[in-house]
C-alpha cells in the first residue's frame, strides 16, 4: 500500500495537460496511474498517446535491457505506466523506461517503485518536450535518480546525464564511435546511431549483439 502524502496545489502548474488538481495520492493510484497519468503535488497530468516511432524506440530499449539483464542479472527494467514515487519532489512519475538495480535502497512493489530508480529513460514526443527537458530533469536530479537518458527522435538527439557527488547532473557524451557506456551497466553498449534506424533491430538481432558483448574479453 502506498502511504499518504500531504499535498498542496502547486504555485506553478507542471508542464503537460493538467486534467485534475487537488487530487490525493490514493485517488491518483486508484483512478489515474494505470492509464498513463502522472501526479505532481496534487495535479494530474495526462500523457499523450504514443506515436509509432515512440512505441518502437521504447520497445527496443526495453528488450535491449531485458536481454542485458538475462546475461547480467544485476537489476531489471520496467516500463510506463509503472509508477516511480519521488517523495523529495512530491511527484509520481511514469518514466518510459526505468532501470532498478538489485542494490537500490528503495522499495519495489507490485505497482510502484518507492524511491528513485537508478536510471530513467524518457523518449521525447511533441507534447512532452518541456516536461522531459525541464520538469523531469530537475525532479530526477533532486530526487537522486543516478542517470537520466533523454532519447529525442524529433531532433535525432540523445542526452545522457550522470549525477555527480555534488548531486547535480553532468552531461556525458557518447564516445568517438557514437556509443554510450555507463558503469552502472557493465559491458552494455548503447549505439546512438542504432536508435535512428528504420526498422530498429529485431529482438533476435539484439540478442546476438548482447551475446557478442559478453563473449568479448
Amino acid at each position: 500500500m502506498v502511504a499518504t502524502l500531504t499535498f498542496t496545489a502547486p504555485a506553478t502548474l507542471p508542464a503537460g495537460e493538467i486534467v485534475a488538481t487537488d487530487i490525493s495520492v490514493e485517488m491518483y493510484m486508484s483512478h489515474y496511474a494505470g492509464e498513463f497519468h502522472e501526479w505532481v503535488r496534487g495535479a494530474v497530468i495526462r500523457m499523450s498517446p504514443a506515436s509509432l516511432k515512440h512505441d518502437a524506440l521504447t520497445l527496443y530499449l526495453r528488450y535491449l535491457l531485458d536481454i542485458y539483464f538475462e546475461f547480467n542479472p544485476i537489476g531489471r527494467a520496467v516500463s510506463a505506466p509503472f509508477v516511480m514515487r519521488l517523495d523529495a519532489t512530491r511527484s509520481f512519475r511514469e518514466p518510459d523506461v526505468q532501470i532498478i538495480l538489485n542494490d537500490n535502497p528503495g522499495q519495489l512493489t507490485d505497482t510502484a517503485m518507492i524511491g528513485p530508480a537508478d536510471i530513467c529513460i524518457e523518449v521525447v514526443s511533441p507534447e512532452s518536450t518541456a516536461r522531459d527537458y525541464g520538469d523531469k530533469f530537475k525532479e530526477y536530479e533532486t530526487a537522486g535518480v543516478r542517470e537520466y537518458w533523454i532519447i529525442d527522435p524529433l531532433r535525432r538527439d540523445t542526452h545522457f546525464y550522470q549525477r555527480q557527488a555534488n548531486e547535480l547532473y553532468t552531461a556525458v557524451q557518447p564516445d568517438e564511435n557514437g556509443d554510450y557506456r555507463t558503469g552502472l551497466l557493465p559491458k552494455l553498449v548503447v549505439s546512438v546511431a542504432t536508435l535512428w534506424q528504420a526498422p530498429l533491430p529485431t529482438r533476435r538481432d539484439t540478442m546476438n549483439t548482447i551475446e557478442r558483448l559478453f563473449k568479448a574479453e
Side-chain angles (χ1 to χ4, degrees):
M1 178 180 295
V2 177
T4 300
L5 288 182
T6 58
F7 68 93
T8 56
T12 302
L13 289 174
E17 181 186 355
I18 307 297
V19 298
T21 57
D22 296 331
I23 299 298
S24 69
V25 167
E26 291 79 11
M27 178 66 74
Y28 163 73
M29 290 298 293
S30 63
H31 289 80
Y32 294 98
E35 300 296 330
F36 295 91
H37 291 78
E38 297 181 323
W39 183 97
V40 179
R41 303 183 304 281
V44 175
I45 308 160
R46 177 185 289 129
M47 306 294 101
S48 64
S51 67
L52 288 175
K53 182 63 174 177
H54 184 286
D55 183 67
L57 266 172
T58 303
L59 179 62
Y60 168 70
L61 289 165
R62 178 61 192 272
Y63 62 64
L64 174 73
L65 293 163
D66 286 347
I67 293 167
Y68 170 81
F69 287 128
E70 289 178 17
F71 281 85
N72 189 21
I74 62 171
R76 65 183 300 168
V78 293
S79 302
F82 197 82
V83 170
M84 178 178 64
R85 168 179 164 170
L86 301 175
D87 289 354
T89 56
R90 295 182 13 251
S91 59
F92 285 53
R93 292 297 190 177
E94 297 182 356
D96 287 316
V97 181
Q98 53 183 303
I99 299 169
I100 302 161
L101 300 179
N102 295 340
D103 60 359
N104 188 301
Q107 180 185 359
L108 181 61
T109 73
D110 284 341
T111 57
M113 175 61 191
I114 302 176
D118 294 283
I119 301 174
C120 287
I121 306 172
E122 299 289 359
V123 178
V124 179
S125 58
E127 66 82 28
S128 74
T129 299
R131 186 167 60 251
D132 293 338
Y133 282 99
D135 291 357
K136 289 190 175 182
F137 180 97
K138 185 60 178 176
E139 288 177 27
Y140 294 171
E141 181 182 65
T142 299
V145 175
R146 297 166 71 185
E147 292 195 17
Y148 180 30
W149 305 358
I150 301 176
I151 311 298
D152 191 341
L154 307 174
R155 300 166 182 80
R156 295 174 66 92
D157 200 6
T158 56
H159 302 270
F160 300 96
Y161 298 100
Q162 297 180 1
R163 198 166 184 263
Q164 305 300 311
N166 62 1
E167 301 183 350
L168 299 177
Y169 281 141
T170 294
V172 177
Q173 300 301 319
D175 64 20
E176 63 275 10
N177 297 316
D179 296 330
Y180 176 73
R181 294 174 172 82
T182 169
L184 297 182
L185 303 173
K187 296 190 177 182
L188 181 68
V189 176
V190 179
S191 167
V192 172
T194 298
L195 300 175
W196 317 135
Q197 289 183 10
L200 287 161
T202 65
R203 184 178 180 88
R204 177 174 294 181
D205 291 339
T206 305
M207 172 72 79
N208 292 337
T209 297
I210 297 294
E211 187 173 18
R212 287 195 295 271
L213 291 175
F214 278 87
K215 283 184 176 178
E217 295 295 340

